[in-house]
Amino acid sequence: MPEPDASPPRAGGAREAFDYAVLRVVPRVERGERMNVGVILFCRAQGFLDARAELDARRLLALAPDLDLEAVGHHLDFVRRVCAGDPACGFVAGLPQAERFGWLVSPASTIVQPSRVHAGLSADPAAALERLLAELVRLG
């Protein structure tokens, strides 16, 4: 996993601790194959909870030709909407941010699974989320 953000704090902004998990598509658990598709990041001190995901359809279909990409996309959109507290997502979306994060990173047996939780430091959690997405999800 990447090292915590080592950049100096922004002017007027202290670096704060954050937690994150990588979202992975696991088409067939018995094969043990998975592909990183997104990141969830929670920074309690800044009241920040967000998820970003990017699906590489070509790579995913090479891994699992019968994968329902639309269903995976809906699952990832649901995660993002729970982070945002969208009431259409039901009870869990109305929980406090820390509880929503805990719910989203709990082990799951679905096709989209979170990694274990990792930690970092940043003055800008949105920028840290983008950096993690670039490092852990995007190729090259």
Side-chain angles (χ1 to χ4, degrees), residues 1-71:
M1 290 293 132
E3 292 298 313
D5 186 287
S7 61
R10 294 171 143 194
R15 288 179 29 201
E16 302 286 354
F18 65 82
D19 293 315
Y20 71 95
V22 178
L23 295 172
R24 299 169 171 157
V25 171
V26 184
R28 293 179 49 201
V29 175
E30 68 276 13
R31 290 183 57 100
E33 297 169 334
R34 63 183 182 242
M35 190 172 106
N36 294 349
V37 296
V39 178
I40 303 170
L41 189 141
F42 173 55
C43 179
R44 182 183 310 268
Q46 294 193 23
F48 182 91
L49 175 62
D50 199 3
R52 295 270 321 273
E54 294 180 2
L55 290 179
D56 183 331
R58 185 184 58 75
R59 286 181 60 219
L60 278 169
L61 291 175
L63 183 63
D66 59 341
L67 183 64
D68 184 345
L69 290 174
E70 186 175 344

